[in-house]
Amino acid sequence: MTPTRRRLLQAAPALAGAASLPMGVAWAQGRDAAAWPNHAVSVMVPFAPGGSTDFIARLLAQELSTALGQQFVVDNRAGGSGTVGMAFLARARPDGYTLGVVPNGTFAMAPAMYDRLPYDNSNAFAPIGLLATNAMFLCVEPNSPHKTLAALIEASRARPGSITFASAGSGVANHLGPELLQDMAGVQWLHVPYRSGAAGVQAVIAKETTLSFVDSVTAIPYLRDRTLLALGYSGAERSPQAPDVPTIAELGYPGYRASTDFGLFAPAGTPQPILQRLSEESRRIMLSATTKARLEPLAIDPVGGTPEQFAPYAAGERTKWGELIRKRNIKPE
């Protein structure tokens, strides 16, 4: 068990319970919940297909379809650092037929980026559990003149503003991960947001941008065929799939850690029996030997956390990244 997973699973329960429902409403919800699911369930992903969030959502949807006997269908709704999809989820009927697999860049980082959101981030959603977590590789294209992190930082200081980095959008993990490193190193890079992490990777390969922080789901194949070169890893420990790549903390930035973490949500007001069943099934799926075998080659750590463990984790993420966003005056682009 990695330190990240242990920290998440040992967090003290802190979720407040939902407000009590009138008896008639509670009875009707209980009746509907008992029959759930009796038709297809939509699993919203707030980004375009092809990235790590989409991968986790499709893995989970496939297994839930088998376990619960109805189709769980991924619905990609990209835009606004994931906030377009979250607004859709907030408006959805709370009947268990619309869920969301959402990264921490959206549920913990983006709220500090925007002065106003089209939903109440604190109260519009019912958290079901943390599904998985994975760190990122700081990647450049193989012919880059910057072969080490030290060389990249030296060039950044010699030519301020000359280094560009691609992200999947403002306020997501592979935007704020580089911002944290810039803050610790005392350098300034130019942020170039794209519509997805996959598009950002292609920008690095095409030499449109200098670097990108690439989640391990996407990065590992590129590293293996040497289409990308990794200068560092954003996790607390080295990736077992790329053990020769040092952590950024090892390279002179102690305490540095940034990861993409994936949570499962429903609209607030979804009947508790449905939330409970989803929590149990998703936890069983994520911690199964089959899922672990699928995730291990991609350096993704399955968590399978409960709703009660989600709140303190999310609160800590909001504090850490909110402070960075305010300090660096980061705004949506």
Side-chain angles (χ1 to χ4, degrees):
M1 182 182 293
T2 68
T4 299
R5 181 178 165 200
R6 188 178 300 113
R7 174 177 63 85
L8 297 172
L9 291 178
Q10 291 178 345
L15 275 182
S20 298
L21 294 170
M23 184 176 297
V25 175
W27 179 86
Q29 285 195 346
R31 178 193 60 191
D32 293 343
W36 180 90
N38 58 22
H39 60 80
V41 178
S42 174
V43 182
M44 187 279 301
V45 172
F47 293 95
S52 57
T53 308
D54 184 70
F55 175 85
I56 293 295
R58 292 181 187 278
L59 182 155
L60 181 67
Q62 179 183 13
E63 295 298 325
L64 285 173
S65 297
T66 300
L68 298 178
Q70 293 290 345
Q71 286 297 308
F72 283 68
V73 182
V74 172
D75 177 16
N76 297 89
R77 293 180 177 264
S81 302
T83 59
V84 170
M86 286 299 267
F88 168 80
L89 185 63
R91 295 191 301 266
R93 185 175 177 180
D95 56 7
Y97 290 96
T98 306
L99 310 174
V101 173
V102 184
N104 56 337
T106 298
F107 68 78
M109 300 175 184
M113 291 281 298
Y114 296 90
D115 294 332
R116 302 180 70 178
L117 291 172
Y119 52 87
D120 182 346
N121 193 65
S122 299
N123 299 305
F125 310 105
I128 297 168
L130 196 64
L131 300 171
T133 180
N134 75 304
M136 299 169 285
F137 291 91
L138 192 172
C139 293
V140 297
E141 60 91 18
N143 295 318
S144 168
H146 317 296
K147 302 297 186 185
T148 65
L149 179 57
L152 178 68
I153 297 300
E154 182 179 354
S156 304
R157 289 173 177 158
R159 298 183 299 278
S162 64
I163 302 298
T164 58
F165 73 96
S167 81
S170 299
V172 299
N174 77 333
H175 171 204
L176 294 188
E179 292 286 355
L180 179 60
L181 179 54
Q182 290 174 79
D183 189 64
M184 296 177 74
V187 298
Q188 188 66 43
W189 300 335
L190 177 64
H191 177 216
V192 184
Y194 288 79
R195 286 186 59 82
S196 69
V201 169
Q202 292 305 314
V204 174
I205 294 172
K207 303 182 182 180
E208 294 175 6
T209 58
T210 308
L211 65 96
S212 183
F213 274 49
V214 184
D215 60 74
S216 58
V217 173
T218 307
I220 292 294
Y222 286 108
L223 297 179
R224 287 175 177 163
D225 68 14
R226 300 187 179 182
T227 308
L228 289 175
L229 171 67
L231 305 187
Y233 186 60
S234 72
E237 300 175 339
R238 294 193 184 199
S239 166
Q241 301 305 318
D244 293 337
V245 179
T247 67
I248 292 172
E250 288 180 74
L251 293 171
Y253 304 95
Y256 181 93
R257 188 189 72 81
S259 60
T260 303
D261 306 330
F262 312 93
L264 180 62
F265 292 83
T270 300
Q272 189 60 38
I274 294 176
L275 297 176
Q276 182 64 29
R277 191 171 185 194
L278 281 166
S279 174
E280 292 171 355
E281 290 291 345
S282 62
R283 188 161 63 251
R284 178 189 62 77
I285 289 167
M286 296 310 299
L287 297 179
S288 70
T290 301
T291 298
K292 289 179 178 179
R294 291 184 67 180
L295 297 183
E296 184 179 4
L298 301 169
I300 298 177
D301 188 21
V303 176
T306 66
E308 292 77 17
Q309 292 160 340
F310 209 153
Y313 152 77
E317 286 287 283
R318 285 194 298 268
T319 298
K320 172 182 177 178
W321 299 111
E323 289 176 351
L324 178 71
I325 288 166
R326 288 186 290 272
K327 178 181 179 181
R328 294 183 62 80
N329 194 32
I330 300 171
K331 301 293 184 183
E333 298 180 38

